[in-house]
Amino acid sequence: NKTMAEYLDNNRSGKGDLAIGRWGADYPDADTFVYSVLHSVAGSMGRFFGNQEIDQLAEQGRAETDPRIRHSLYRKVEEILARDALLLPLFHDQVYAFARPEVEGFASVGQTSPTISYEDLWVRR
């Protein structure tokens, strides 16, 4: 691909033999990966492999309210991905933050911006 528009078009259509991309998810909800990335119609990468079993599990997981059942559905998706080698995660982001000992209220709030709850910070004197 020479442009971002070509890249996005190829992902939407499933053209090509390989897609390399990055996904920033609404962690920790697995639906963001399973439905938004792997679903063959709604997902950004699902058209490359179009797995109906994953589609069905994604739709069931999206509608399920029991967290244990949702977890088991998404676990099945992971098993299919591993079994059929459909997706190869290359890395995941790590976020590091440091503060001096006198900074109070310092806690990481997540992987997305802001990673620190700055309004809760104060300096102990």
Side-chain angles (χ1 to χ4, degrees), residues 17-31:
D17 298 319
L18 172 72
I20 298 175
R22 182 178 187 128
W23 184 257
D26 297 333
Y27 182 80
D29 190 0
D31 176 71

Side-chain angles (χ1 to χ4, degrees), residues 1 3-14 44:
N1 301 317
T3 67
M4 181 56 91
E6 286 179 10
Y7 171 79
L8 294 172
D9 181 55
N10 286 340
N11 280 355
R12 278 190 283 276
S13 65
S44 61

Side-chain angles (χ1 to χ4, degrees), residues 38-40 46-57 80-81 83-84 86:
L38 305 176
H39 192 276
S40 64
R47 287 169 193 82
F48 284 96
F49 47 83
N51 186 301
Q52 288 189 345
E53 192 176 4
I54 289 176
D55 289 351
Q56 192 173 37
L57 290 166
I80 295 166
L81 289 172
R83 179 192 72 210
D84 298 344
L86 298 175

